[in-house]
Amino acid sequence: MKNLHFLLAALCVLPGAIAIAQPKTAVQKADSVLRLMTLEEKIGQLHQLSSDFATGPITPDGDKQVQVRRGEIGSMLNLMGAARTRQLQTLAMQSRLKIPLLFGQDIIHGFRTTFPIPLAEAASWDLQAIEQTARIAAIEASAAGIHWIFAPMVDIGRDPRWGRVMEGAGEDPFLGSKIAVARVKGLQGKGFGNTDAVLACLKHFAAYGAAVGGRDYNSVDMSERMLWETYLPPFKAAIEAGAATVMNSFNDLNGIPATANALLQQDILKGKWKFSGFVVSDWGSVSEQTIHGYAKDTMQAAMQAILAGNDMDMEGYAYHKHLATLVKMGAVPMARVDDAVRRILIKKFELGLFEDPYKFSNEQREKEQYDNPLHKQIAREMATKSIVLLKNDTVQSRPILPLQRHQKIALIGPLVKSQKDNLGFWSFDFDDDSVRLVSLYKGMQNKLGSSTSMLYAKGCNLNDTDTSGFAEAMAVAMQADVVVMQVGEARDMTGEAKSKSNIQLPGMQEALIKAIHRTGKPMVVLISAGRPLIFNWTADYVPAIMYTWWLGMEAGNAMADVLFGDYNPSGKLPMSFPRTEGQIPIYYNYYNTGRPAQNDDQRFYVSAYIDLPNSPKFPFGYGLSYARFAYGEMQLSKQQLKGNEILQVTVAVTNKSNVAGEEVAQLYIRDLVGSVVRPVKELKHFRKIMLQPGETKELKFVVSTNDLSFYNSQLQYTWEAGEFDIMIGGNSRDVQTKRIYWNK
Ligand code: NOJ
């Protein structure tokens, strides 16, 4: 259906239309449609409903098919598949103006191909690889009729109790910004108009990750400076990279629900940042203002949301029910409604939907993406890159890992044969357990050949008090040369609405680890989870530990690759791992305070706990390799700089081992004295490099005044003259430092 032609023809018969030039840009085209629309049709464009699969209560009223035919719905979520989207689009084509529907979907870490969860991918520090998995998600999803993906989630996560840390890139605004940009680029591909480019949606605007107590949907209270310094950078970077849409959030920020927050949406997003895309609410968040106690009814809620800059109402019915009245009363200017509709129509034009509303609903293309072997291979590679080696002690003169193929291996633990748990939260159930999902057990068989007699015991369940399997597991361990355990969380223990006050390894799993440890056998523990967990005993006593997160459908193959050294682990933690929940929120870029503890033992009238060191169990940026890297002394091009000069920082990194490996060199800066206090260190650059055995590479980083800049008390982004520490290392804790002076 060449729908645009219909609209242009319609435009020409309108009185006064003769003077209007043929529209050329998406904006002009959107305006040409806008002029034809009734108020009800405009409101329809702002109304988004879900199909049957939901992440919140589905509003029962109304027959959606009838509403689509009447042009009362502009977008749908949770409706997938070339056939189904085509079916609904056909109904939209029966509406008066034939404005195509926009189909949105939560595709958080892959569609047909499930990649590692976003937090795991962030551990790769590999921006190209991250962009590539987002690209594949867009290719597969767009082939199933989806135009718009509700990702990336770019919320900073400093609190592992918050279940949604799994969806983001961790605690750091710099790394988070780089990854946000990579994901947007991947999703939006070579630009709208291509059938495999989808609209990205940054979420959740804003500060959702700072929910008090790590409890999902909870309030956020923070200074505007903190907002700008820590929580907004990934949004800003991704908007600058062209992200098409933004979703606001469930939380209130300083007492004002984000959905009705004009500071966030009008002043910052659409004002300062000149964002030209549209803002969608989160599920029902327009009407939830009444529950927050910010609106007395949904009419007031609708008014506040649209005036504050929220364009589309997701599953809320507030706009649908009240916007017309509000406009007629003069409470909401028509110009604001037009602005919201125009923003949405522009995206529909840019996608090419007016020209061909079915261009994404292509059964043939969908079938081709059903089981794409290349995508599967990339899922395996991404999974190997996401694994973080936390510990690899030497026992009997050799490190436990990598394993050797002749060793007799016992696989023990409740996750060893589990397949779906590896997929993690926010994944699709396309697969029958045994078809495409690779458990650790299957991955080890694939590696060693199914004739290999691997020993196995489950040992315990994921989350109960039953220890009856311990004896069998210990007996199995006794027969092996080495034990590999896979423990962690079930797929639904971390995610939306999955906040936890206790983030220790669930159930009897650590007790099982202790029991196996008592056998005296060399052992490796793999921890699969959506968030940083607490496992102090394991960390202290088990000689080899890999944090595997949730690695997706190729999890087992990837774990086997790393266990046997076919891939040398290179992941680095994107979040600090706490010692106890009492340390949370925990992050490396904290302020020094007036009474900092000089070390973990200092407790006397310093900013410390009397019962706990301040340092995390594993620091941000940390991760080992089977190779050993040595950093030479960092060289600075200058120690005194002035104005817009550039500082060159050079460091030689050598692979001192006999295996090739990758290292992520990290550069941090501390501004020693500021007009507002500055963090003890901030990541400003990083580079991931491959080094052959014995090889040395010289890394050069260019530091400019942009790397010194911060938001001052007037919220101006600026730098101040003074002393700065430049730090380089393989993680945020173990760095070498040199001081420079930078004058204005
Ligand atoms: C609620 C979640 O907060 C959001 O991230 C998601 O995109 C929507 N539901 C739609 O499912």
Side-chain angles (χ1 to χ4, degrees):
M1 164 81 59
K2 299 278 178 247
N3 209 27
L4 175 65
H5 297 157
F6 162 83
L7 288 162
L8 294 178
L11 182 61
C12 290
V13 298
L14 287 182
I18 304 101
I20 300 166
Q22 180 99 328
K24 291 211 174 54
T25 64
V27 181
Q28 290 169 337
K29 288 175 186 171
D31 276 333
S32 73
V33 177
L34 199 54
R35 279 188 219 108
L36 304 174
M37 295 173 81
T38 63
L39 176 57
E40 286 65 30
E41 284 164 337
K42 290 177 184 175
I43 294 167
Q45 288 306 301
L46 311 183
H47 184 40
Q48 186 192 48
L49 287 185
S50 173
S51 106
D52 27 30
F53 171 82
T55 60
I58 293 182
T59 331
D61 22 337
D63 177 338
K64 285 173 201 165
Q65 303 210 358
V66 173
Q67 290 177 47
V68 170
R69 241 187 263 124
R70 284 206 217 110
E72 289 172 3
I73 299 177
S75 171
M76 295 202 75
L77 70 155
N78 297 325
L79 191 103
M80 294 171 275
R84 288 200 71 199
T85 49
R86 175 177 289 275
Q87 200 187 356
L88 261 282
Q89 201 66 291
T90 308
L91 298 180
M93 289 305 107
Q94 292 165 21
S95 66
R96 190 180 78 90
L97 288 177
K98 304 189 182 344
I99 300 176
L101 284 167
L102 192 64
F103 296 113
Q105 186 63 41
D106 288 299
I107 293 171
I108 309 300
H109 50 114
F111 185 57
R112 281 289 312 171
T113 308
T114 310
F115 295 105
I117 57 167
L119 185 62
E121 288 196 351
S124 73
W125 296 54
D126 187 331
L127 301 176
Q128 256 182 324
I130 291 172
E131 180 176 335
Q132 190 180 34
T133 62
R135 184 84 288 275
I136 292 170
I139 290 169
E140 294 182 356
S142 61
I146 293 158
H147 311 127
W148 180 22
I149 285 184
F150 303 135
M153 189 198 96
V154 303
D155 296 315
I156 293 298
R158 292 173 154 189
D159 190 333
R161 292 170 302 180
W162 187 49
R164 301 199 78 170
V165 293
M166 58 135 311
E167 282 175 66
E171 75 188 41
D172 184 57
F174 179 80
L175 179 63
S177 299
K178 296 279 178 209
I179 291 177
V181 170
R183 290 192 163 130
V184 167
K185 280 201 211 157
L187 293 175
Q188 299 190 168
K190 292 217 168 75
F192 305 134
N194 291 297
T195 28
D196 62 6
V198 297
L199 308 177
C201 182
L202 307 177
K203 64 192 193 182
H204 304 82
F205 201 61
Y208 184 39
V212 172
R215 209 181 66 210
D216 209 2
Y217 316 131
N218 205 1
S219 294
V220 175
D221 197 288
M222 72 165 60
S223 72
E224 224 181 303
R225 222 179 54 71
M226 174 62 82
L227 182 70
W228 279 92
E229 178 159 307
T230 304
Y231 290 85
L232 292 184
F235 286 98
K236 184 166 184 289
I239 298 283
E240 284 164 6
T245 74
V246 169
M247 184 185 295
N248 55 40
S249 52
F250 287 124
N251 57 287
D252 74 87
L253 176 63
N254 303 331
I256 303 192
T259 309
N261 199 309
L263 169 72
L264 287 174
Q265 299 171 114
Q266 291 290 28
D267 300 355
I268 297 177
L269 182 63
K270 293 177 176 175
K272 282 197 174 70
W273 296 349
K274 301 189 171 37
F275 170 64
S276 61
F278 69 87
V279 179
V280 62
S281 76
D282 205 340
W283 186 290
S285 67
V286 174
S287 352
E288 281 178 18
Q289 285 174 69
T290 59
I291 309 167
H292 277 282
Y294 191 66
K296 68 177 185 321
D297 52 29
T298 47
M299 182 182 281
Q300 187 187 352
M303 180 186 76
Q304 291 176 166
I306 192 147
L307 292 180
N310 179 81
D311 300 308
M312 187 184 279
D313 180 5
M314 180 194 287
E315 259 297 335
Y317 275 93
Y319 284 10
H320 176 80
K321 284 187 182 145
H322 303 296
L323 218 42
T325 313
L326 287 163
V327 171
K328 284 171 195 154
M329 279 163 47
V332 171
M334 186 62 122
R336 173 64 194 107
V337 174
D338 284 351
D339 170 55
V341 176
R342 184 183 296 109
R343 286 167 180 272
I344 293 162
L345 292 178
I346 288 171
K347 292 301 163 212
K348 291 185 177 182
F349 270 110
E350 285 176 353
L351 288 170
L353 296 179
F354 277 97
E355 278 162 27
D356 179 2
Y358 306 108
K359 71 187 267 196
F360 287 62
S361 307
N362 179 330
E363 275 92 340
Q364 183 52 35
R365 201 155 73 89
E366 183 177 36
K367 222 178 277 158
E368 284 160 17
Q369 298 305 336
Y370 192 77
D371 193 12
N372 185 321
L374 176 66
H375 296 178
K376 219 153 101 176
Q377 177 57 29
I378 290 168
R380 179 173 182 163
E381 286 164 15
M382 187 74 240
T384 57
K385 288 170 195 247
S386 303
I387 292 172
V388 183
L389 180 66
L390 294 178
K391 206 174 163 187
N392 190 18
D393 285 354
T394 296
V395 176
Q396 289 162 2
S397 77
R398 80 172 287 279
I400 299 260
L401 290 171
L403 301 177
Q404 292 163 302
R405 282 168 202 255
H406 62 78
Q407 286 173 309
K408 194 165 194 190
I409 297 167
L411 295 172
I412 295 178
L415 285 172
V416 169
K417 289 198 171 176
S418 164
Q419 285 159 316
K420 292 206 167 165
D421 289 312
N422 294 313
L423 292 178
F425 203 80
W426 289 119
S427 45
F428 295 89
D429 265 326
F430 289 123
D431 295 291
D432 182 80
D433 257 359
S434 58
V435 187
R436 298 194 312 160
L437 311 183
V438 186
S439 65
L440 175 63
Y441 193 84
K442 200 151 115 190
M444 295 292 271
Q445 272 185 339
N446 292 344
K447 178 77 54 195
L448 300 172
S450 49
S451 56
T452 314
S453 62
M454 263 175 334
L455 301 163
Y456 166 73
K458 186 175 176 194
C460 66
N461 295 319
L462 273 172
N463 196 18
D464 62 21
T465 53
D466 185 5
T467 55
S468 59
F470 280 27
E472 186 212 350
M474 289 169 79
V476 164
M478 288 306 292
Q479 299 166 46
D481 298 323
V482 60
V483 179
V484 176
M485 298 185 70
Q486 191 191 359
V487 296
E489 291 189 313
R491 178 187 180 184
D492 60 357
M493 284 182 184
T494 292
E496 185 181 344
K498 302 288 179 285
S499 291
K500 291 187 83 183
S501 63
N502 171 346
I503 58 167
Q504 316 273 330
L505 264 175
M508 300 312 291
Q509 297 184 89
E510 199 153 48
L512 177 67
I513 295 170
K514 287 180 190 171
I516 300 301
H517 189 261
R518 280 200 297 276
T519 65
K521 291 288 176 176
M523 63 191 288
V524 186
V525 170
L526 314 186
I527 304 177
S528 302
R531 52 155 65 88
L533 291 176
I534 295 169
F535 45 93
N536 290 322
W537 192 92
T538 304
D540 292 342
Y541 294 100
V542 171
I545 305 169
M546 286 185 352
Y547 214 77
T548 57
W549 318 98
W550 285 324
L551 292 176
M553 57 186 276
E554 283 288 313
N557 284 333
M559 290 187 246
D561 285 344
V562 175
L563 283 169
F564 285 98
D566 294 334
Y567 180 83
N568 187 352
S570 65
K572 301 270 188 174
L573 297 177
M575 284 184 80
S576 309
F577 273 45
R579 295 169 189 270
T580 77
E581 292 86 355
Q583 279 183 315
I584 299 171
I586 185 164
Y587 43 93
Y588 80 93
N589 45 355
Y590 53 85
Y591 296 148
N592 203 35
T593 81
R595 293 183 172 199
Q598 299 306 322
N599 56 55
D600 273 349
D601 298 323
Q602 199 187 7
R603 306 275 157 83
F604 191 67
Y605 288 99
V606 290
S607 177
Y609 302 101
I610 59 170
D611 60 346
L612 190 70
N614 276 0
S615 64
K617 193 73 186 168
F618 297 101
F620 173 81
Y622 175 85
L624 304 173
S625 160
Y626 299 149
R628 238 174 335 103
F629 302 108
Y631 284 72
E633 188 189 332
M634 117 176 65
Q635 304 297 329
L636 304 179
S637 58
K638 293 182 171 182
Q639 267 167 329
Q640 305 260 349
L641 293 101
K642 202 167 179 302
N644 281 340
E645 284 180 352
I646 292 289
L647 172 70
Q648 285 208 11
V649 182
T650 314
V651 70
V653 186
T654 304
N655 181 350
K656 295 267 190 191
S657 72
N658 56 8
V659 286
E662 292 159 283
E663 167 69 335
V664 181
Q666 303 158 39
L667 186 150
Y668 298 85
I669 297 183
R670 176 175 183 183
D671 181 347
L672 278 110
V673 179
S675 59
V676 291
V677 293
R678 309 300 310 130
V680 294
K681 54 180 71 126
E682 293 175 280
L683 182 69
K684 293 295 176 183
H685 294 275
F686 64 86
R687 189 108 19 100
K688 187 164 188 171
I689 45 162
M690 164 65 90
L691 289 170
Q692 296 305 317
E695 192 188 1
T696 298
K697 270 192 184 146
E698 198 165 85
L699 300 184
K700 279 195 176 42
F701 296 98
V702 175
V703 174
S704 72
T705 53
N706 189 47
D707 299 316
L708 313 179
S709 300
F710 62 95
Y711 293 95
N712 67 15
S713 54
Q714 273 77 54
L715 300 181
Q716 293 149 334
Y717 193 64
T718 182
W719 66 281
E720 295 170 354
E723 285 184 307
F724 299 87
D725 277 346
I726 308 291
M727 293 163 260
I728 284 196
N731 65 67
S732 65
R733 181 190 60 201
D734 305 314
V735 291
Q736 52 171 311
T737 306
K738 281 197 175 171
R739 188 157 295 178
I740 57 160
Y741 186 87
W742 209 311
N743 212 341
K744 278 277 177 182

